[in-house]
Amino acid sequence: HRCGAARPAHRGAGRANHAPGNGAGLARVHASRQAICRGQLGAAVSLEGEEAAMVLIGSLLDLMVIAAAGRWLLPHVLRFLEGHRQVEMNYAGQVVPRGLGALLWLLLWLQELVLQLANRVIAYWQLDPLTRMESLETNHQVFVFAASLIFLLGWTDDLIGSKAVKGLKGHYRYWKETKTFSMGAVKALGIATAAGWLALSAENEQTPIWWIGGQMLLLMLMTNALNLLDVRPGRSLKFFFTGVMTVVVVSLWLAGGSIPLVFPIWPVCLGGYLVYGMDVRGKGMLGDAGANLLGFTLGYTVIMTLPWEMQCLIVIVLILLHKQAEVSSITALIERNRFLNWLDRLGRT
């Protein structure tokens, strides 16, 4: 089969479809990879009646908690960054806080805490011991840990990395001259590890190795691409939100109108929305930690929702983007296109 062997249903997933009150857990019931490849994601996870209402209520409550926590955390994150001198001169020569991506990472872990608490409540009230949120043991937790590794690597690069060393050639030349790996090279190895870990966890032993390798490459390229874009205010977040909306629209079309429920991305989306105003006006910077986390999250969304043909197309586009960054600059490419230049400057002061 062109999509590889069908992914076996997660244990308890079938039973979870009929659990009353399992709001957040139901939102992450996994469809088979074969169904996703055929554009049947909506049919695989669709719910009806009271079950669908519980999913909606649980999801909305979860998002409200995450949004409220994000609004409360943002000023504390800013004070932390400024208090610890995590500031940097932006492209316009202004010194601004660097590391707004910390908010996205904190919300990602808050999401995990909320889901774990919901799991304990379900167990305590014995709603149905066979329908607990067992998917916490699979893709969701792996994504959280892999995304945390990406964030910490980016944070370390912000702290000790050299901004003078750029591109594959630059990192190779640095190693050749100093016989020492640059922080960028170390980060690249870490991203490859996290991408491989996540790609392997999303598949089973019957999945072709080329499929896993392709998804690993997509995750790596997407993670670095958002970092390459983060040289002007708001650019990475605009690309991220455009990418997420595009994936959702395409998934709606493939799934016949059912909304794809890729639950782990929503805390990152909410965090990105909260820091967007500061970022686009040049009042703060995501830093490598935030930009890399955005790219990894977008890549995860792609591999979990789109068929392999579209994933291959995205890989080609990302390769061309990286080639442009090596031979010239992405900013020059954007400025030559009237629409892209308008979109890039939109909201910037």
Side-chain angles (χ1 to χ4, degrees):
H1 193 277
R2 67 184 181 89
C3 290
R7 183 181 179 184
H10 188 272
R11 58 188 178 90
R15 295 186 294 271
N17 280 347
H18 302 283
N22 190 6
L26 285 170
R28 295 193 326 282
V29 172
H30 295 295
S32 70
R33 180 54 56 97
Q34 192 175 56
I36 293 174
C37 290
R38 290 175 174 176
Q40 297 172 350
L41 177 59
V45 300
S46 61
L47 299 170
E48 297 179 356
E50 183 180 350
E51 297 168 336
M54 292 304 298
V55 170
L56 179 61
I57 293 172
S59 299
L60 289 176
L61 288 174
D62 178 73
L63 292 177
M64 289 171 63
V65 170
I66 300 298
R71 290 182 64 88
W72 180 82
L73 280 170
L74 180 56
H76 294 280
V77 169
L78 289 173
R79 281 197 294 270
F80 175 85
L81 296 174
E82 292 171 349
H84 291 273
R85 299 179 182 177
Q86 292 304 299
V87 294
E88 185 174 327
M89 187 177 294
N90 64 13
Y91 82 106
Q94 301 170 328
V95 178
V96 298
R98 176 195 63 197
L100 295 179
L103 180 68
L104 283 60
W105 178 69
L106 290 172
L107 294 183
L108 192 61
W109 274 100
L110 178 61
Q111 167 86 321
E112 179 67 18
L113 176 61
V114 169
L115 296 178
Q116 289 285 0
L117 288 174
N119 190 33
R120 297 299 182 271
V121 170
I122 291 169
Y124 178 79
W125 289 102
Q126 297 181 347
L127 297 177
D128 188 343
L130 297 178
T131 60
R132 299 175 189 177
M133 295 183 294
E134 298 179 12
S135 56
L136 288 172
E137 301 170 3
T138 54
N139 287 0
H140 181 263
Q141 283 190 335
V142 174
F143 169 73
V144 171
F145 281 104
S148 295
L149 176 59
I150 295 294
F151 171 80
L152 293 174
L153 287 167
W155 185 270
T156 306
D157 196 15
D158 284 332
L159 292 177
I160 66 175
S162 173
K163 301 301 180 182
V165 183
K166 297 181 180 180
L168 293 175
K169 294 180 180 178
H171 290 293
Y172 174 73
R173 186 162 50 247
Y174 180 86
W175 174 83
K176 191 173 181 180
E177 293 174 354
T178 65
K179 302 301 179 184
T180 303
F181 284 112
S182 65
M183 185 56 218
V186 174
K187 186 174 70 171
L189 292 174
I191 290 173
T193 302
W197 185 23
L198 186 61
L200 286 168
S201 73
E203 305 297 343
N204 59 31
E205 64 278 359
Q206 296 178 323
T207 303
I209 191 67
W210 65 266
W211 177 263
I212 297 174
Q215 293 187 331
M216 178 179 171
L217 179 61
L218 189 152
L219 283 166
M220 293 170 58
L221 292 173
M222 189 71 80
T223 301
N224 193 55
L226 270 289
N227 194 32
L228 292 176
L229 291 172
D230 192 38
V231 294
R232 292 292 186 273
R235 185 178 291 176
S236 288
L237 281 169
K238 289 175 183 177
F239 186 93
F240 173 77
F241 284 122
T242 301
V244 168
M245 288 188 291
T246 301
V247 170
V248 169
V249 170
V250 172
S251 299
L252 282 170
W253 174 64
L254 293 176
S258 297
I259 298 176
L261 301 173
V262 188
F263 212 72
I265 76 168
W266 302 130
V268 179
C269 290
L270 281 172
Y273 171 77
L274 290 172
V275 303
Y276 175 79
M278 288 191 65
D279 186 49
V280 76
R281 293 195 302 269
K283 303 299 183 182
M285 300 174 66
L286 288 170
D288 285 8
N292 286 148
L293 180 56
L294 286 177
F296 194 72
T297 303
L298 181 56
Y300 173 80
T301 307
V302 169
I303 70 171
M304 292 303 293
T305 57
L306 298 184
W308 72 269
E309 297 94 338
M310 291 185 179
Q311 293 183 35
C312 290
L313 179 61
I314 291 172
V315 168
I316 294 172
V317 172
L318 290 173
I319 290 174
L320 294 176
L321 186 67
H322 280 76
K323 184 178 179 181
Q324 173 68 23
E326 286 287 332
V327 300
S328 179
S329 84
I330 297 175
T331 297
L333 176 65
I334 291 174
E335 290 176 348
R336 287 196 298 267
N337 184 288
R338 181 176 299 179
F339 173 73
L340 291 179
N341 190 43
W342 169 81
L343 183 62
D344 186 45
R345 293 177 178 275
L346 184 65
R348 190 183 301 168
T349 55

